[in-house]
Amino acid sequence: MKAAGGPARFTGVQTCGSVWSCACCGSRIREHRSGEVQDAAAWWEKQGGQFLFLTLTVRHWAEDSLTRTMDALTHAFTATINGAPWKRFTRRHGIRHWIKAQEVTLGWQNGWHAHLHVLLFVDLPGAVADAREDAARAWAEVDAAAPRVRGVKIAKAKRRDAEVAEAARIAKQGIGRERERELHSWLYERWAAMVVKHGGRRPSKRRGVDIRSVRHGNVVALYVSKLQEGDREKRGWKVGSEMTRQDLKKGRQDSLVPLELLDLDGLSEDERDRNRAYWIEYAASTSGRRSMTWSRGLKEAAGIAEVDDDEIAEAEAEEVEDERVIVIRAAHWRSVRDDPDVLARILYLVEEDRVEDVGELVPFEWPPPLN
């Protein structure tokens, strides 16, 4: 009933495994996923790798349904990372792996705002090796070329040599603003085209794509205004947390994260009805969707086991050591389990050490039996 050293919580109940619409299961799942992302980042750093943090959005209006926006995001991302152009792009820039996470916020003026965070795993020395391989192949084509096309082949080979020099410079100096602008330009054009192709509104060039380098596995000054603590100088906000812990964030002043829709305290009846309608849409639109996706082979390479959300929710619930304060039998639990106000009140009373007052809401046994 009460987690040791933490807030009160119910135990011995069924877990739903929803990362989107359950505050309890979602928190456990996101915490676990956060650890996985951080482990993968630590593994990549040991290999000498670097990171790029990419955020992708679509233009949205108040009348746009969340389902339409999320569908456009999902299909546009899949299209973006498939095909020869993406393969050439990732090879040139040394992008070996990625992790994608979805996030949803709501603004009263512009409606649902769904967007993607993508952590790109970059191998700069590998990009140099690839560039040298491409240059060697280009010069081999010069040797085999007929006289009438030899000039064209030589020009191509020289461009490959220039790419080798540029890749070597970046590998030595790191990814700077100039390379970030180049990456942004290519990514925006491809992303915008795929969003439109798959039914979304064309994103703006300023907001549609944001990409920047990440140092030492920490996200530096990214979305800090979303943190629940609101501390712009907060330290220790890891890549894993920015990717996964939507439950620890708050929206900006003109927006909110979906779980905030459930806070009905102080709202008028019309505002409560509005929040309920938005919540129902959110729960329906996110049902069955994956909140996080890893590129093929990354988890295996990083030594991270494949575990689904249901397994995480159940395992985390069993692992927490609780101080058993009260026991509510199944028959009595059924009478209150669907009333969030009563459940919240029970937890509040336990946390305030006013356990006796719980009896006014639901019968309980005290002290807890051993079996």
Side-chain angles (χ1 to χ4, degrees), residues 308-320:
D308 65 33
D309 289 350
D310 288 330
E311 292 174 312
I312 294 171
E314 292 175 4
E316 294 291 332
E318 293 172 358
E319 288 173 5
V320 176

Side-chain angles (χ1 to χ4, degrees), residues 45-84:
E45 285 183 330
K46 289 181 180 179
Q47 318 303 312
Q50 298 186 34
F51 307 94
L52 289 166
F53 191 83
L54 172 66
T55 300
L56 301 170
T57 67
V58 299
R59 193 186 300 272
H60 57 98
W61 294 350
E63 61 266 29
D64 293 342
S65 70
L66 180 57
T67 296
R68 172 186 175 175
T69 302
M70 295 190 79
D71 284 348
L73 273 175
T74 300
H75 298 318
F77 181 79
T78 300
T80 296
I81 64 169
N82 280 284

Side-chain angles (χ1 to χ4, degrees), residues 163-180:
E163 290 174 359
V164 172
E166 176 67 5
R169 183 186 67 80
I170 293 173
K172 182 178 180 179
Q173 299 178 1
I175 301 171
R177 293 290 186 185
E178 182 179 348
R179 176 51 67 96
E180 286 180 5

